[in-house]
């Protein structure tokens, strides 16, 4: 049955029920009439209380945010922000080591998380007001906001430095050394976010949640929203809400097409602090969001005329990665931070010296992980332990700007080698290269190569092909957009790889280092022409 026809049928049934109720009331006599009226009033009040998203203004607490202005948060969310687990986010840089390249980018996960909770509430309320037939409850509203608030609780030092650079390397080192490894194969910060949220629930106790109408099932729902999509063979994989509320799973972490309030906040917030222009308008997109049934499931869809704005969102993601998140100097700094953490990690030493730091093993305990923040770098820098000297020296180089020198980068036009093959090819090129200056020798160890992936959010796929749009004439019918409806200026390719080479010298560039860098540049150009059929970029 089409959605519009189904809605009309439901409205007809509701109207008939109300008419029957009115007839029953008119036919009754006093005092039954009075009792019946009180029953009807109580029932309507319960319905209103359940489905209205209006909260008493006295309940709300106001936060002044540089991005969204004055934010009103429900008291339950305020209680969560006042826990040690959430306050920890004040000590985690949102953009990792990027603040050492962009001086203004020193904002933290704390304010981002509050912004995501706010935007989650804005989107839910917009859908509720425009489509009351969705039957969005106060509990739905609070759960989605709480998930937005708590989605990043599991980040480690310098945010993605920990889960993208440190933990995978820990697993490699443990394997090489034959050390016991009980870290899950695909460990992600979302898993720790769920454990940290569990810890918050325990510390608040169940009564605090119940007094705001939340049940054990709602707690499950919040954790499902934090963790993201699960594999499904056409069966509904979640317990927190049934398939009728499937669209709620696309608000905080949208695995369907990547459009979610997490990105809306960090695009606006990061652009603001980086000083990069943001061409994407999330407030406009929010106003044109609507739930439609597509392929038997309810999805959040957008007006067809917003296709260019949606593309601007994906393009903004690429721009931020190209100019900031994958900046050539920021990347090498983060690599050094990761190396410092690995050298300081007692779990990578068989004897586990007591004067070293719990780093990778901290993920086994919420209590230990709660103490793991960016302040660990200050602990290393102020330490007098001989076991932490190597780690301390690396951090000292970062502070003194004694960084590896960037040589060149090249943008690959065709993916003809894997990352491992590219690195091996470069090592072979360095080994066989004959310097024009006979006094210079090059080694692959002092000329590391890095391969950086850049895309629009869906690897080599066009992400807009997974977004559903509706038209003004048919607001309840949605589908993917046709190519002819999009700008002809959009790219045909949506991902690329950058190959970068650095020279691991330090301090002022001395004459011999200068010669080495010049020869390294020539070697890189020769390798690009012979092995990659490309010209190296400046």
């Amino acid at each position: 049955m089409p959605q519009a026809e189904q809605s009309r049928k439901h409205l007809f049934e509701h109207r008939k029920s109300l008419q029957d109720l009115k007839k029953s009331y008119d036919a009754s006599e006093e005092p039954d009439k009075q009792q019946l009226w009180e029953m009807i009033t109580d029932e309507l009040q319960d319905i209103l209380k359940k489905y209205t998203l209006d909260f008493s203004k006295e309940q709300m607490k106001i936060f002044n945010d540089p991005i969204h202005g004055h934010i009103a948060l429900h008291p339950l969310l305020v209680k969560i922000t006042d826990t040690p687990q959430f306050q920890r986010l004040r000590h985690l840089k949102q953009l990792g080591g990027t603040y050492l390249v962009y001086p203004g980018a020193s904002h933290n996960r704390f304010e981002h998380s509050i912004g995501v909770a706010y935007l989650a509430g804005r989107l839910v309320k917009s859908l509720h007001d425009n489509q009351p037939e969705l039957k969005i409850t106060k509990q739905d509203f609070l759960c989605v906001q709480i998930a937005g608030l708590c989605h990043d609780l599991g980040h480690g030092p310098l945010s993605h430095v920990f889960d993208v650079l440190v933990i995978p390397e820990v697993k490699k080192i443990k394997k090489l050394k034959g050390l016991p490894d009980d870290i899950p194969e695909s460990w992600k910060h979302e898993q720790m976010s769920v454990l940290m949220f569990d810890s918050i629930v325990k510390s608040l106790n169940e009564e605090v949640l119940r007094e705001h109408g939340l049940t054990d099932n709602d707690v499950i729902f919040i954790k499902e929203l934090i963790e993201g999509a699960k594999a499904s063979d056409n069966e509904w994989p979640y317990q927190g809400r049934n398939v009728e509320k499937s669209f709620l799973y696309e608000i905080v972490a949208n695995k369907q097409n990547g459009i979610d309030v997490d990105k809306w906040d960090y695009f606006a917030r990061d652009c603001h602090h980086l000083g990069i222009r943001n061409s994407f308008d999330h407030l406009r997109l929010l106003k044109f969001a609507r739930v439609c049934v597509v392929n038997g499931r309810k999805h959040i869809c957008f007006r067809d005329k917003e296709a260019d704005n949606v593309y601007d969102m994906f393009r903004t993601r690429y721009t931020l990665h190209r100019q900031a998140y994958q900046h050539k100097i920021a990347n090498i700094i983060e690599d050094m931070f990761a190396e410092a953490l690995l050298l300081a990690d007692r779990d990578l030493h068989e004897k586990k010296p007591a004067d070293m730091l719990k780093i990778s093993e901290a993920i086994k305990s919420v209590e230990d992980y709660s103490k793991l923040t960016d302040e660990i770098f200050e602990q290393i820098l102020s330490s007098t332990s001989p076991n932490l000297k190597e780690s301390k020296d690396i951090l000292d180089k970062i502070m003194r700007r004694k960084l590896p020198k960037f040589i060149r980068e090249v943008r690959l036009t065709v993916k003809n080698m894997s990352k491992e093959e590219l690195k091996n090819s470069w090592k072979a090129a360095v080994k066989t290269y004959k310097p024009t200056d006979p006094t210079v020798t090059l080694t692959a160890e002092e000329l590391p190569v890095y391969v950086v992936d850049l895309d629009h959010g869906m690897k080599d796929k066009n992400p807009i092909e997974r977004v559903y749009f509706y038209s003004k004439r048919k607001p309840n019918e949605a589908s993917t957009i046709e190519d002819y409806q999009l700008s002809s200026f959009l790219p045909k390719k949506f991902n690329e790889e950058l190959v970068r080479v650095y020279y691991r010298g330090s301090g002022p560039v001395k004459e011999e280092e200068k010669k080495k860098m010049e020869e390294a540049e020539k070697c890189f150009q020769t390798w690009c022409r012979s092995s990659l059929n490309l010209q190296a970029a400046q």
Side-chain angles (χ1 to χ4, degrees):
M1 183 185 295
Q3 180 73 11
E5 190 179 331
Q6 196 172 24
S7 295
R8 281 195 295 272
K9 185 182 176 186
H10 285 318
L11 287 171
F12 175 77
E13 289 171 354
H14 290 321
R15 190 176 291 112
K16 189 174 183 301
S17 298
L18 287 170
Q19 287 170 347
D20 290 344
L21 192 61
K22 187 174 182 299
K23 285 177 185 176
S24 176
Y25 176 76
D26 290 340
S28 63
E29 295 180 358
E30 297 291 354
D32 293 342
K33 201 168 204 171
Q34 183 61 29
Q35 289 180 338
L36 187 57
W37 174 251
E38 288 174 2
M39 287 170 60
I40 293 169
T41 304
D42 289 344
E43 191 66 31
L44 289 173
Q45 285 294 331
D46 286 343
I47 293 170
L48 190 63
K49 188 177 178 182
K50 184 178 181 181
Y51 291 102
T52 184
L53 300 187
D54 294 325
F55 296 94
S56 165
K57 284 187 170 49
E58 291 76 26
Q59 286 185 303
M60 311 301 275
K61 185 170 181 179
I62 306 298
F63 291 77
N64 190 6
D65 182 70
I67 307 303
H68 307 299
H70 291 91
I71 293 174
L73 286 189
H74 187 276
L76 179 55
L77 273 72
V78 174
K79 284 177 183 174
I80 292 172
T81 65
D82 289 341
T83 61
Q85 296 91 330
F86 192 86
Q87 290 293 318
R88 168 182 174 272
L89 298 180
R90 290 184 185 274
H91 309 291
L92 296 177
K93 291 281 190 298
Q94 172 80 8
L95 298 187
T98 307
Y99 77 99
L100 290 169
V101 175
Y102 289 86
S106 57
H107 53 302
N108 303 311
R109 290 277 158 186
F110 181 86
E111 52 265 40
H112 163 64
S113 298
I114 290 174
V116 175
Y118 168 72
L119 287 179
R122 285 283 302 269
L123 182 51
V124 173
K125 193 164 191 321
S126 177
L127 296 174
H128 169 270
D129 292 347
N130 294 331
Q131 296 177 270
E133 68 274 13
L134 295 173
K135 298 179 181 176
I136 296 172
T137 66
K138 273 187 173 178
Q139 286 69 35
D140 295 335
F141 177 80
L142 281 176
C143 287
V144 175
Q145 276 206 306
I146 291 169
L149 191 69
C150 298
H151 78 289
D152 274 348
L153 287 173
H155 270 298
L158 293 181
S159 294
H160 290 291
V161 168
F162 187 77
D163 55 329
V164 175
L165 297 179
V166 174
I167 292 299
E169 197 60 31
V170 165
K171 292 186 70 63
K172 285 182 190 175
I173 293 170
K174 284 188 170 186
K175 188 175 181 181
L176 285 171
K177 290 187 173 182
L179 297 169
D181 179 13
D182 52 2
I183 298 172
E185 194 59 42
S186 56
W187 187 89
K188 292 182 180 178
H189 75 269
E190 289 89 350
Q191 294 163 278
M192 184 53 72
S193 293
V194 168
L195 295 176
M196 296 282 273
F197 176 68
D198 269 335
S199 175
I200 287 175
V201 171
K202 285 177 187 173
S203 67
L204 290 177
N205 79 54
E206 294 177 4
E207 291 307 313
V208 174
L209 297 179
R210 287 208 174 99
E211 71 184 38
H212 294 291
L214 299 187
T215 64
D216 291 343
N217 199 58
D218 290 320
V219 172
I220 292 170
F221 177 44
I222 293 166
K223 291 195 284 188
E224 288 172 342
L225 291 173
I226 291 171
E227 200 158 10
K230 294 179 181 177
S232 168
D233 299 323
N234 294 322
E235 291 184 8
W236 184 242
Y238 300 110
Q239 298 177 44
R241 293 294 184 272
N242 61 32
V243 72
E244 283 297 304
K245 298 284 180 75
S246 58
F247 61 93
L248 293 176
Y249 287 87
E250 298 175 359
I251 291 172
V252 175
N254 188 351
K255 307 299 182 182
Q256 164 71 24
N257 53 40
I259 302 178
D260 53 48
V261 296
D262 177 28
K263 290 185 184 66
W264 293 4
D265 182 82
Y266 80 69
F267 287 171
R269 195 172 299 279
D270 293 355
C271 283
H272 173 79
H273 289 285
L274 289 163
I276 293 174
R277 182 175 172 270
N278 180 14
S279 59
F280 165 61
D281 187 350
H282 68 271
L283 291 176
R284 181 176 172 83
L285 196 61
L286 189 150
K287 291 182 183 298
F288 287 100
R290 184 173 178 80
V291 173
C292 302
V293 175
V294 185
N295 300 326
R297 290 259 172 98
K298 289 180 179 176
H299 294 282
I300 296 176
C301 309
F302 304 95
R303 179 75 186 277
D304 49 7
K305 68 177 182 177
E306 289 305 299
D308 285 339
N309 191 23
V310 169
Y311 174 71
D312 278 343
M313 191 199 93
F314 295 119
R315 183 69 186 179
T316 297
R317 181 189 186 278
Y318 167 82
T319 300
L320 283 168
H321 274 271
R322 183 71 181 91
Q323 293 186 23
Y325 307 157
Q326 305 292 346
H327 187 280
K328 59 182 181 288
I329 303 303
N331 273 183
I332 201 69
I333 287 172
E334 291 188 337
D335 200 62
M336 292 174 74
F337 273 126
E339 189 180 352
L341 289 180
L342 291 166
L343 288 169
D345 191 352
R346 76 170 71 162
D347 204 30
L348 301 182
H349 296 260
E350 289 182 23
K351 295 180 181 178
K352 295 189 178 181
D355 58 349
M356 296 185 76
L357 302 171
K358 280 186 179 182
I359 298 176
S360 60
E361 64 185 15
I363 69 173
K364 302 168 190 174
S365 158
V366 170
E367 185 181 349
D368 288 339
Y369 198 78
S370 296
K371 299 168 188 170
L372 194 61
T373 68
D374 293 356
E375 291 172 355
I376 193 170
F377 299 110
E378 294 300 323
Q379 292 174 33
I380 295 170
L381 281 168
S382 60
S383 172
T384 56
S385 165
N387 285 317
L388 295 178
K389 187 179 184 306
E390 284 184 89
S391 178
K392 185 177 180 178
D393 288 345
I394 290 171
L395 295 181
D396 187 63
K397 284 180 182 178
I398 294 172
M399 295 304 110
R400 295 173 183 272
R401 210 71 176 182
K402 294 180 179 180
L403 309 173
K405 312 294 188 300
F406 176 71
I407 302 295
R408 281 286 184 98
E409 77 174 21
V410 69
R411 182 181 282 104
L412 299 183
T413 54
V414 179
K415 187 177 176 67
N416 53 4
M417 292 188 199
S418 68
K419 287 185 181 181
E420 204 57 41
E421 287 171 332
L422 276 167
K423 290 178 180 180
N424 290 334
S425 172
W426 168 246
K427 286 178 183 176
V430 173
K431 190 175 181 180
T432 57
Y433 176 72
K434 294 181 179 178
T436 55
D437 185 337
T439 65
V440 173
T441 55
L442 300 179
T443 64
E445 288 71 29
E446 64 185 2
L447 294 170
V449 64
Y450 293 83
V451 184
V452 177
D453 291 306
L454 296 172
D455 60 59
H456 285 63
M458 293 281 173
K459 305 295 182 187
D460 60 340
K461 303 287 189 300
N462 181 356
I464 211 163
E465 290 177 354
R466 302 187 67 173
V467 183
Y468 299 121
F469 295 91
Y470 65 88
S471 66
K472 186 177 183 178
R473 283 190 300 248
K474 297 179 179 178
N476 294 316
E477 295 178 23
S479 61
T480 53
I481 206 155
E482 300 292 338
D483 287 345
Y484 64 80
Q485 294 174 279
L486 294 168
S487 169
S488 57
F489 288 102
L490 296 191
K492 301 300 178 188
K493 193 170 182 289
F494 292 89
N495 73 316
E496 62 186 13
E497 281 185 327
L498 302 178
V499 181
R500 293 170 174 165
V501 168
Y502 297 82
Y503 169 64
R504 280 192 177 273
S506 61
V509 179
K510 298 172 185 174
E511 196 57 40
E512 57 270 25
E513 286 186 329
K514 202 171 183 180
K515 288 179 184 178
K516 278 198 173 192
M517 289 173 66
E518 286 171 358
E519 290 294 343
E521 191 173 337
K522 291 174 186 175
C523 176
F524 187 65
Q525 288 176 319
T526 303
W527 177 63
C528 287
R529 285 193 297 267
S530 61
S531 299
L532 307 179
N533 297 316
L534 296 167
Q535 297 294 323
Q538 291 290 345

